[in-house]
Amino acid sequence: MAVGQPNNPLHGLTLETILTRLVDRWGWDGLARDLPLACFRIDPSLPSALKYLRKADRARRKLEDLYVRCMTEEGPA
């Protein structure tokens, strides 16, 4: 029997899933407003943003924090 992580709201979600859901909700302009990262402001695309976020731990944590805040405000996506 596999033990889940009930206290980890990001368990089982990939970075791509998180980013896609946020882009679908707010678009690139909305993300750039909340997280002023160049990968969201200058010619944004999913592959380039994922490449940057996988290398930049601090930026990834900020994106994950934004997603968790979004989830707690509206419930699970």
Side-chain angles (χ1 to χ4, degrees):
M1 178 199 264
V3 177
Q5 296 182 12
N7 294 327
N8 182 358
L10 299 175
H11 179 69
L13 294 175
T14 64
L15 181 60
E16 183 174 2
T17 300
I18 292 169
L19 183 58
T20 301
R21 287 180 181 174
L22 291 175
V23 169
D24 288 347
R25 180 173 178 186
W26 288 308
W28 292 109
D29 291 334
L31 277 177
R33 189 176 45 250
D34 290 338
L35 298 173
L37 302 173
C39 67
F40 299 152
R41 291 183 289 127
I42 303 168
D43 195 25
S45 71
L46 193 60
S48 67
L50 287 171
K51 184 177 179 179
Y52 174 74
L53 292 166
R54 286 182 178 128
K55 292 180 181 180
D57 290 334
R58 187 174 179 188
R60 180 182 179 145
R61 281 193 307 271
K62 287 182 179 185
L63 182 78
E64 290 171 345
D65 290 345
L66 177 65
Y67 182 79
V68 170
R69 283 194 314 267
C70 168
M71 276 184 38
T72 57
E73 290 173 2
E74 292 188 1

